[in-house]
Amino acid sequence: MTVRAASTVLVGRQRELAALRDALGRARAGEPTTVLVGGEAGVGKTRLLEEFGRVATDTGSRVLVGQCLELGEAGLPFAPFAAALREVLRRDGAEVFAGYEAEFARLLPELARVPAGAGTAAVMPLSDAPRGYLFDLVADLFQRLADARPLVLVIEDLHWADRSTRDLIGFLVRAARPGRLLLVCTYRTDELQRGHPLRPFLAELDRARGVERLELARLDRDGTGAILADLLGAEPAARAVDDIHDRTQGNPFFIEELAAAGDPIGCAALPDTLRDLLLARVDRLPDPAQRVLRIAAAGGTRFAHQLLAQAAGLPEPELEDALRAAVAAQLVVADPDGDYEFRHALVREAVHDELLPGEHARLHARFAAAIEAQPHLVAAGRAPAEIAHHWYAAHDHPRALVSARAAACAAADRYAYAEQSRLLERVLELWELVPDAADRLGMDHLAVLEETLAAAITAGDYARALTLARAALAEVDGAVEPLRKAHLLHRRARMMAMLGKSDGLADLREAYRLAALVPDGPDRLKLLADVAAQLARIDPVDGVRTAVEVLAAAEAAGVDATLLPTQLTVLCGRDDSPDLGLAELRRTEAAARAAGNVPALVSALVHLSDVLFELGRYEESAQAAADGVSEARRVGISRSTGAYLLSNRAEALIALGRWTEAEEVCAEAARIDPPGVTGLHWLQLRAGLRLARQDPAADETVARALSFLTRPYLHPHQRLPVQELRLEAALAADDRVETRRAAEATLADDAVATCPRYGWPLLGVLARAARRLDDAGLTARVAALAATVPVRFAVERAYAAEVRATVAPTVDPLGDWRTAVGAWREGGQPYPLGRALLSLAEAAALAGERDEVAEAVQEAAAIAGALGAVPLAEQAATLARRVGLRGAARGRPGADLLTDREREVLRLVAEGHSNSRIAERLFISPKTASVHVSRIIAKLDVTNRVEAAALAHRLNLLADPAPR
């Protein structure tokens, strides 16, 4: 019986195919869409996408496919994107890259070559474009392709993806979001053991908008039978279906393999383990073909003919005969480029696992040597990673050591910092196994630790960086190399603070002490500048003193101050400067621009945007932060310093009332995923936005932000805004117990009185909490605390006026709230203005100022509508109903809401009468009185008669109606 090697029908995947079609429809409509297709190895993910690819192509879409390589986290960065772009290059030519060939050469090194006919052997120099810029270019290219026709980008085997590939996928999903692009990624669910880097990545993608997961389950018995019927060309026997289904458990690949290995009726004689199943067809090959297949398995799932020839060392005719047999058996397939690929990665794994230990080492060594001798035998740019992988697999520790370091350097050149860090970790692993490691690398073990530490920090792996810093400190001799130890102490202190473990003060002071033992010089000045910047966050007095010392030493040495942390200028001029050192910061910014020192410029813009916000100059703050974001992307520091710029810009946009723009900036920050507490500011801002907009994701975002409060250390500038968020969330949930807990925690925080920028917003919500709880003692404590906090700028005056009106009103509450509203108009923030207007409306209602009530409510409602602040809009609508406002109509508060009889009933309710007593007084039945009371409660939107009475007094609903 003739058996096909693979089924030609798609069985049991109608639901998944329909989901992919729907996703493509959304993408066609311009909605960025991502589908994550998961399933165990062999379950049919590739087969499903092949069918979907045909559907997409037939309906006018373009399909690009990229495969992740099985080289692990230390493998070739961006491999699937390189494959997809190589297809774009083949079909569209280099012109599609729109003049950015040098930048794209980071992904496609062949773009750096001069086109044929150029008449020279020279090559185009590679661009030094940083990774963030490269990501933008890739996104822009996909957008251009998608503008021409809908684009489907398939990334297969995401479980093998390197960190850089995951980062680029995350950028496309969470930040760039090109329109008319459908991104489909497959991964093996059975590969995701605990600790696998893909698990948290998938969890993060799940929270992004437009991301959908599809899980492919195994086929049922009928599905197994349908595949067998297609493979055999006839209906299989029931016993054969049962036997094969039991053994394969409905895995389509295993079904195909088992059917192709022999007659399914006799399959019971075949081994029932996976390896035997996969190797059954391999064992049927001629011995020469089996030998070549084993050699090819060491080279990877995909291999070039020339590379295999070098590694095999066989005459060309013998090699071709062996490959022909493997291709005929459908174990290996050839592609148009002349390369080969195992039809399924599991076959290669099984064959590779069968290699004897000596054979395993020998074959990998052959591949490593062949690639070293002729790097062109692998795809452009793959050589360093391939060489490192093969020497490591060959257990040739000296060569593995050297090649891992070389691959790490190559990864750094491609801005693949996570891969650089992992490869350097391999260097550390191999160090003890190579006696002359220091001579081979030209550096000592401590230098490798320091290099790995720097890479880990750049990659954002702060936890690992802390471990490396501790290890390096255990090796360094402070008596011999005090400056070297001081640098490590500063890095450890910074990592401790960034992870929220401690303030690192002891390490910083020890670093300062060690630096004092070293003569003045650029390295010492840079270290002391870093120490001063970090120290100022913990001990401002000591920080300023150190900063002054550093600037004096820099001036004496003729060192350009722009090369030092910009915060020094703020430290030295902020306290006694009415503009918070703004003029000095402007000079520092100009000097950095003139010197072309982009890192110093980015740092200046961080502090500049921060100071401008504190001064209430929100438009300028937002613009400075936007300028800094662009500069940070240019030098590849978007995930560190650039994260502060993003959150600073979002903060300014929120203050301006441009909430939608702020949410977009927060989304960009989420894509960057800043590490440690660096990621708190944008998260806290987004949580506050979502809470104020009653977003369905608000609870989850708030919980994530509040989780930072459990860390052992959090700087007051980070802690106070989170405490503010905690109180806002408790008030929004009307959780009186949590509101009281949060209020008590806030009152116990000494930083409230010493940090007016963050203390006043916290006092504002604390005052509202005290009013909600109706607690006289708490109210008095809030008023007393507010009296100790400095008031410097317009926004602080606005908060101070609001707090006074809330917890310490004068005999003229209406005048108090008029003052607060006026202060908020000067402060320039629409949202707190809207809140103050509602309080003003209540005070005006109590005072009988009828027109003022309507004007305040209408303005507050307009603000809420413009912001999308649903709770504020609901509060305005509720107040409007309670005071009887109808649209733009003006009149006595409550006049259009309650009838004259209901107003009489409400007056008696407010006096404390029961329904029976009300009935006696008004000469009505108790039942009628009860009906009136129920209607009043419903109209006033309260829960009981006590609240109705309190509201009647607060809004002056009991006064006699004005003449009409």
Side-chain angles (χ1 to χ4, degrees):
M1 179 183 296
T2 301
V3 180
R4 275 199 300 271
S7 175
T8 59
V9 297
L10 187 66
V11 176
R13 305 299 183 208
Q14 286 69 34
R15 181 185 65 84
E16 291 83 359
L17 187 58
L20 288 170
R21 285 172 171 161
D22 291 342
L24 179 58
R26 294 194 298 274
R28 285 177 178 276
E31 178 182 344
T33 307
T34 301
V35 181
L36 306 174
V37 181
E40 68 177 8
V43 81
K45 301 180 292 296
T46 299
R47 180 70 186 84
L48 170 66
L49 291 184
E50 287 174 350
E51 182 67 25
F52 172 65
R54 282 193 285 271
V55 172
T57 302
D58 291 343
T59 55
S61 298
R62 181 172 187 173
V63 179
L64 298 176
V65 180
Q67 181 91 29
C68 297
L69 302 178
E70 190 189 2
L71 294 177
E73 283 289 295
L76 180 68
F78 310 116
F81 288 97
L85 294 178
R86 193 165 283 116
E87 178 63 21
V88 172
L89 175 63
R90 182 183 296 112
R91 293 187 181 182
D92 300 64
E95 296 78 13
V96 75
F97 298 102
Y100 292 100
E101 290 85 353
E103 287 78 2
F104 277 101
R106 293 290 178 187
L107 297 178
L108 293 178
E110 55 262 48
L111 282 173
R113 301 168 188 160
V114 174
T120 177
V123 297
M124 181 189 304
L126 291 177
S127 168
D128 287 327
R131 192 171 69 159
Y133 181 47
L134 183 64
F135 283 11
D136 284 336
L137 290 177
V138 172
D140 289 343
L141 172 60
F142 287 150
Q143 183 65 73
R144 292 197 303 274
L145 295 175
D147 287 341
R149 56 175 169 153
L151 180 63
V152 178
L153 176 61
V154 178
I155 305 294
E156 293 203 74
D157 294 327
L158 197 58
H159 51 278
W160 286 333
D162 59 281
R163 171 70 178 273
S164 295
T165 295
R166 294 195 300 271
D167 286 349
L168 182 47
I169 291 172
F171 176 84
L172 293 174
V173 172
R174 295 190 296 245
R177 300 176 62 80
R180 287 163 54 91
L181 169 67
L182 172 60
L183 177 62
V184 184
C185 301
T186 71
Y187 62 95
R188 292 184 188 172
T189 54
D190 51 339
E191 290 277 351
L192 304 188
Q193 296 88 3
R194 185 176 182 180
H196 194 289
L198 188 61
R199 293 181 68 171
F201 180 70
L202 292 175
E204 184 65 28
L205 289 185
D206 281 338
R207 292 193 284 268
R209 183 165 57 89
V211 176
E212 176 184 0
R213 276 219 211 192
L214 284 181
E215 291 286 338
L216 270 62
R218 296 170 179 174
L219 299 176
D220 58 15
R221 182 191 179 281
D222 291 341
T224 300
I227 288 182
L228 286 173
D230 180 65
L231 291 172
L232 300 172
E235 190 69 18
R239 181 177 176 180
V241 175
D242 290 338
D243 189 45
I244 292 178
H245 185 68
D246 289 343
R247 290 182 176 276
T248 64
Q249 296 181 309
N251 184 293
F253 173 70
F254 299 160
I255 296 169
E256 293 176 356
E257 291 298 305
L258 190 54
D263 190 339
I265 296 177
C267 68
L270 296 174
D272 58 4
T273 64
L274 173 60
R275 182 173 288 102
D276 289 340
L277 176 64
L278 293 171
L279 294 176
R281 290 169 61 202
V282 176
D283 292 339
R284 295 170 59 183
L285 290 174
D287 287 343
Q290 290 190 43
R291 286 196 298 272
V292 168
L293 211 57
R294 287 196 296 272
I295 297 170
T301 302
R302 186 180 179 85
F303 51 93
H305 181 90
Q306 285 183 301
L307 177 59
L308 180 61
Q310 290 289 327
L314 295 174
E316 193 67 22
E318 291 184 26
L319 179 62
E320 289 177 352
D321 287 345
L323 286 171
R324 187 174 291 109
V327 170
Q330 290 292 303
L331 290 166
V332 172
V333 294
D335 65 22
D337 292 334
D339 293 339
Y340 296 93
E341 186 174 2
F342 280 89
R343 193 174 67 84
H344 200 290
L346 288 178
V347 173
R348 190 210 70 83
E349 292 175 16
V351 174
H352 186 262
D353 289 345
E354 286 292 293
L355 295 175
L356 297 173
E359 185 181 23
H360 179 280
R362 184 172 64 254
L363 290 177
H364 278 287
R366 287 184 188 175
F367 276 101
I371 298 171
E372 279 186 334
Q374 302 181 67
H376 66 274
L377 294 179
V378 296
R382 284 182 55 180
E386 292 274 3
I387 292 168
H389 167 71
H390 286 298
W391 282 130
Y392 185 72
H395 307 299
D396 188 326
H397 299 145
R399 289 189 173 94
L401 177 86
V402 175
S403 60
R405 173 97 199 300
C409 294
D413 290 341
R414 296 168 70 96
Y415 314 108
Y417 302 118
E419 285 69 44
Q420 177 199 14
S421 175
R422 194 170 296 273
L423 284 160
L424 289 171
E425 292 275 6
R426 181 179 292 177
V427 173
L428 292 172
E429 173 193 341
L430 294 167
W431 187 275
E432 297 299 330
L433 303 176
V434 182
D436 59 344
D439 294 334
R440 289 177 178 272
L441 295 181
M443 59 196 306
D444 60 17
H445 187 259
L446 180 56
V448 178
L449 277 172
E450 291 170 324
E451 189 172 310
T452 312
L453 168 60
I457 292 173
T458 307
D461 190 353
Y462 288 171
R464 182 57 183 164
L466 179 58
T467 301
L468 290 164
R470 287 168 173 162
L473 282 166
E475 290 191 17
V476 69
D477 186 343
V480 177
E481 298 178 289
L483 195 60
R484 194 174 193 180
K485 183 173 183 179
H487 275 292
L488 290 170
L489 285 168
H490 167 258
R491 283 182 166 175
R492 183 170 70 176
R494 180 167 172 254
M495 291 303 98
M496 293 286 283
M498 296 304 297
L499 292 170
K501 292 182 177 293
S502 80
D503 57 13
L505 182 59
D507 279 351
L508 291 172
R509 286 181 171 158
E510 177 62 11
Y512 177 82
R513 187 192 69 81
L514 289 171
L517 305 176
V518 181
D520 282 341
D523 287 345
R524 178 179 181 273
L525 284 176
K526 177 63 170 64
L527 170 65
L528 287 177
D530 290 335
V531 169
Q534 189 74 14
L535 190 58
R537 294 176 57 82
I538 309 160
D539 185 342
V541 174
D542 208 7
V544 169
R545 180 188 60 77
T546 307
V548 171
E549 175 188 332
V550 172
L551 287 178
E555 184 178 357
V559 175
D560 187 353
T562 60
L563 301 178
L564 303 177
T566 308
Q567 189 167 354
L568 291 179
T569 60
V570 183
L571 295 177
C572 297
R574 187 163 183 160
D575 288 343
D576 58 355
S577 170
D579 67 352
L580 301 179
L582 179 63
E584 186 63 31
L585 270 174
R586 292 287 195 192
R587 286 192 289 272
T588 301
E589 176 198 6
R593 288 187 186 276
N597 189 329
V598 180
L601 174 60
V602 170
S603 182
L605 290 170
V606 168
H607 296 291
L608 185 62
S609 61
D610 189 61
V611 166
L612 286 167
F613 181 91
E614 194 164 357
L615 293 171
R617 296 161 65 169
Y618 305 126
E619 286 282 3
E620 294 176 74
S621 174
Q623 187 58 55
D627 293 344
V629 168
S630 300
E631 297 292 342
R633 186 179 294 121
R634 210 156 58 84
V635 294
I637 55 176
S638 296
R639 195 165 184 258
S640 52
T641 314
Y644 292 112
L645 288 161
L646 284 171
S647 56
N648 281 1
R649 176 165 170 76
E651 187 176 35
L653 292 171
I654 290 171
L656 289 166
R658 291 154 59 179
W659 284 12
T660 300
E661 291 180 65
E663 174 62 34
E664 292 171 355
V665 175
C666 287
E668 186 177 353
R671 183 263 306 171
I672 291 173
D673 190 22
V677 297
T678 311
L680 174 57
H681 192 203
W682 75 264
L683 183 62
Q684 164 251 318
L685 292 171
R686 174 181 259 188
L689 266 181
R690 289 180 170 178
L691 199 63
R693 283 184 154 181
Q694 213 170 75
D695 189 288
D699 289 346
E700 184 268 342
T701 313
V702 168
R704 287 175 57 200
L706 295 188
S707 69
F708 279 81
L709 288 174
T710 63
R711 303 200 179 196
Y713 171 74
L714 207 59
H715 190 274
H717 292 182
Q718 298 162 330
R719 184 176 66 249
L720 296 184
V722 181
Q723 288 177 339
E724 178 190 349
L725 176 65
R726 181 186 179 188
L727 271 168
E728 290 283 12
L731 288 173
D734 198 20
D735 186 338
R736 298 176 68 85
V737 174
E738 174 60 15
T739 299
R740 185 173 295 278
R741 285 200 196 105
E744 292 294 341
T746 299
L747 287 169
D749 196 324
D750 294 337
V752 176
T754 58
C755 300
R757 168 171 176 182
Y758 303 99
W760 276 116
L762 186 50
L763 282 166
V765 66
L766 190 58
R768 286 187 280 117
R771 182 174 64 179
R772 176 78 64 86
L773 294 172
D774 195 19
D775 185 326
L778 180 61
T779 299
R781 291 163 65 195
V782 174
L785 177 59
T788 68
V789 183
V791 178
R792 306 164 302 166
F793 308 115
V795 69
E796 293 172 3
R797 288 193 291 272
Y799 274 118
E802 178 185 330
V803 170
R804 282 194 300 270
T806 305
V807 298
T810 66
V811 295
D812 180 17
L814 179 57
D816 294 339
W817 280 109
R818 284 171 175 166
T819 300
V821 167
W824 273 119
R825 294 192 192 282
E826 183 185 356
Q829 295 190 27
Y831 184 58
L833 171 61
R835 280 200 312 246
L837 283 165
L838 291 185
S839 295
L840 172 64
E842 289 190 3
L846 180 62
E849 296 291 339
R850 305 163 185 174
D851 289 345
E852 191 169 3
V853 175
E855 291 172 357
V857 170
Q858 289 165 359
E859 185 178 358
I863 290 172
L867 297 175
V870 176
L872 183 63
E874 291 175 348
Q875 292 165 20
T878 298
L879 182 58
R881 288 196 303 271
R882 286 171 172 173
V883 299
L885 296 179
R886 290 290 183 268
R890 297 182 180 183
R892 184 199 168 282
D896 294 333
L897 182 66
L898 301 178
T899 66
D900 290 342
R901 172 64 80 180
E902 287 169 345
R903 203 160 35 252
E904 291 176 344
V905 171
L906 178 59
R907 184 177 294 107
L908 293 174
V909 168
E911 293 174 1
H913 295 295
S914 66
N915 288 350
S916 298
R917 183 62 179 155
I918 292 171
E920 292 176 7
R921 293 282 298 271
L922 298 180
F923 304 101
I924 58 177
S925 69
K927 182 176 181 181
T928 301
S930 176
V931 170
H932 280 309
V933 170
S934 297
R935 287 176 176 172
I936 291 168
I937 289 173
K939 286 183 176 182
L940 295 182
D941 197 16
V942 294
T943 58
N944 53 53
R945 60 198 297 136
V946 175
E947 289 185 7
L951 186 67
H953 286 297
R954 192 166 77 244
L955 298 183
N956 194 27
L957 299 181
L958 305 179
D960 292 331
R964 293 179 180 266

